[in-house]
Amino acid sequence: MSIHEVFMPALSSTMTEGKIVSWVKSPGDKVEKGETVVVVESDKADMDVETFYEGFLAHIIVEAGETAPVGSAIAFIAETEAEIEQAKSLANSSGAAATTTASPEPVAATASVATPALASQNGSNHKEGRLVASPRARKLAKELKVDLTTLQGSGPHGRIVAEDVEALSNKGKQPTPAPVAPPAPVPTSTPVAPPAPHTPAPAPVVAAVPGQITPLTTFQNAVVRNMVATISVPVFRVGYTITTDGLDKLYKQIKSKGVTMTALLAKAVAVTLQKHPLLNASYSDQGIVYHSDINISVAVAMDDGGLITPVLQNADAVDIYSLSRTWKSLVERARTKQLQPQEYNSGTFTLSNLGMFGVDKFDAILPPGQGSILAIGASRPQVVATPDGLFGVRQQMQVNITSDHRIIYGAHAAAFLQDLAKLIETNPQSLTM
């Protein structure tokens, strides 16, 4: 008998459990080696999971919507149709963990973010009550208030894809009386990718019922674990006031070319880090880890209450226009949980911008595995004394850096902030070169 367990894979270094978003295959379906069988929500993104075995999906242990620890069995795959009933018997007996007849291989699935999941080979999109749709299609349907059960999928073997949802919305075929036109998007990224440099934006909408306990999402649980992990790190904070008149003027000049304020700030920080490699470093038991690349993470609030930090890799070396295009792509895919692991876990320095909410200043919590995080407040007009002894009005913002005191000291952080302010105040045009 050849019956294999499909295990919950570890899709990121911080993942301890995963949630089944949807089963692409149904019990009894034929599966090929390397074919997607299930979509799993990790602590960072939704990812397609492939099987290492060829055969038939015999039995599903963990249904869609349920959660399982990393490494636990979530399904059985039988090599022949004749073994499907035997696999069901295994599941109904003492359990997959106790059986010795199942295949002992420790891993039966792997993440494949770039390849879209396939639907059931029998062509049915609703077999046994299951609806097969891509994660982006589900997200879009929620935003456009489209009932997925009314759609006929145009994807492989009947899978519903984003284009199906958009087509129904554009043609006005939605049977419900509510208008199909999409609502104004929830500004999950407005703190870090604002449409204008200093216009307040509303906070993400989170549904709440008074008196009810709402379980934490997978994203929220990941944030909890990361925040708890930082408690043992000794940190210190240094604040600085930066005049932004020159940066604001530059932004207005190049905004029409697709440049975002987030990209400008990330570029300014990255260029400054070239002079201060210690601020781009991190602590390890072996000593100080000096990173070869300058990868800027930018905190983005998710509309389900979670937090993710898409990474602008090599931000010091990429031109501002490419950097802005990359940022827009990262935010779009972060909203639909389609980021690849290296796009959210490769950061060496983090930015957190609450200025768009009108926040003057705040303290940011140091992410695990990094040496510093910079909190950015709102830019406001301030009355200041000019060098000629008069008074003038200047746009100023307050920034506050949190650093790991095991490797970075106050003088290091202060020198970095001085150079960052000098760049933004006296030579912002260099960011476009």
Side-chain angles (χ1 to χ4, degrees):
M1 181 174 66
S2 299
I3 298 175
H4 307 284
E5 292 174 322
V6 178
F7 295 110
M8 175 64 73
L11 303 179
S12 74
S13 59
T14 59
M15 178 176 168
T16 60
E17 62 180 20
K19 181 180 180 181
I20 304 297
V21 175
S22 63
W23 283 95
V24 177
K25 293 292 186 177
S26 299
D29 285 350
K30 183 75 168 64
V31 296
E32 303 292 339
K33 183 178 180 181
E35 186 176 14
T36 298
V37 294
V38 63
V39 179
V40 172
E41 178 188 10
S42 73
D43 56 357
K44 300 294 184 183
D46 289 353
M47 296 187 180
D48 296 348
V49 176
E50 303 170 355
T51 176
F52 287 155
Y53 307 110
E54 180 178 345
F56 297 84
L57 182 60
H59 181 75
I60 292 175
I61 301 172
V62 182
E63 297 288 348
E66 297 179 355
T67 300
V70 168
S72 64
I74 58 176
F76 280 123
I77 289 180
E79 290 190 359
T80 65
E81 283 189 276
E83 294 172 323
I84 292 178
E85 291 302 321
Q86 293 174 295
K88 292 180 180 179
S89 298
L90 272 177
N92 294 329
S93 62
S94 58
T99 182
T100 59
T101 55
S103 174
E105 283 87 348
V107 177
T110 182
S112 178
V113 182
T115 304
L118 300 177
S120 172
Q121 286 188 350
N122 62 15
S124 171
N125 194 43
H126 303 285
K127 184 175 181 180
E128 296 187 10
R130 292 185 177 87
L131 184 146
V132 182
S134 70
R136 174 160 174 75
R138 292 178 183 276
K139 177 72 173 177
L140 195 60
K142 182 179 179 182
E143 293 177 351
L144 301 182
K145 299 181 180 179
V146 170
D147 184 0
L148 288 175
T149 60
T150 66
L151 293 178
Q152 180 67 39
S154 63
H157 306 287
R159 189 187 194 209
I160 297 174
V161 295
E163 289 75 11
D164 300 325
V165 180
E166 292 172 342
L168 180 60
S169 176
N170 293 337
K171 292 179 181 180
K173 293 182 179 179
Q174 177 65 11
T176 59
V180 181
V186 175
T188 57
S189 66
T190 47
V192 290
H198 309 296
T199 302
V205 177
V206 179
V209 179
Q212 186 180 60
I213 297 177
T214 302
L216 295 177
T217 65
T218 307
F219 268 40
Q220 289 171 321
N221 277 316
V223 173
V224 169
R225 290 192 297 270
N226 285 341
M227 295 304 97
V228 171
T230 66
I231 294 177
S232 62
V233 178
V235 298
F236 70 95
R237 299 171 178 86
V238 178
Y240 209 95
T241 300
I242 300 177
T243 299
T244 63
D245 292 289
L247 186 67
D248 294 341
K249 181 179 179 181
L250 173 64
Y251 176 68
K252 291 178 181 178
Q253 291 173 349
I254 60 179
K255 177 184 176 182
S256 61
K257 298 180 181 180
V259 174
T260 66
M261 179 59 75
T262 294
L264 281 172
L265 292 171
K267 180 76 172 181
V269 167
V271 170
T272 306
L273 286 172
Q274 291 177 333
K275 302 178 182 179
H276 302 271
L278 184 60
L279 273 294
N280 192 54
S282 60
Y283 170 85
S284 75
D285 292 338
Q286 289 73 40
I288 302 174
V289 180
Y290 287 95
H291 301 288
S292 56
D293 298 325
I294 298 177
N295 299 334
I296 306 299
S297 303
V298 185
V300 174
M302 304 293 285
D303 55 6
D304 64 356
L307 182 72
I308 195 167
T309 53
V311 179
L312 289 166
Q313 299 182 4
N314 300 301
D316 59 320
V318 178
D319 68 87
I320 191 63
Y321 305 101
S322 298
L323 204 64
S324 295
R325 289 192 295 269
T326 299
W327 176 246
K328 289 181 179 179
S329 172
L330 288 171
V331 171
E332 178 182 350
R333 287 182 289 116
R335 288 172 175 168
T336 55
K337 300 181 181 179
Q338 292 299 300
L339 292 179
Q340 299 185 36
Q342 67 269 23
E343 292 178 317
Y344 58 75
N345 64 13
S346 60
T348 58
F349 187 104
T350 296
L351 296 184
S352 181
N353 184 359
L354 292 181
M356 299 316 304
F357 293 104
V359 174
D360 291 318
K361 62 179 180 180
F362 66 101
D363 291 335
I365 298 177
L366 183 67
Q370 293 187 19
S372 296
I373 179 172
L374 186 67
I376 301 174
S379 179
R380 300 185 184 280
Q382 303 287 346
V383 177
V384 299
T386 61
D388 54 10
L390 301 176
F391 289 97
V393 177
R394 299 287 186 269
Q395 288 289 132
Q396 293 186 330
M397 69 178 181
Q398 296 187 56
V399 299
N400 197 12
I401 192 169
T402 301
S403 297
D404 187 340
H405 212 337
R406 293 173 297 184
I407 60 172
I408 301 169
Y409 305 142
H412 301 136
F416 165 79
L417 293 177
Q418 277 186 326
D419 285 342
L420 177 63
K422 183 178 180 180
L423 171 62
I424 291 176
E425 293 175 353
T426 65
N427 193 24
Q429 289 290 340
S430 65
L431 299 175
T432 63
M433 298 177 183

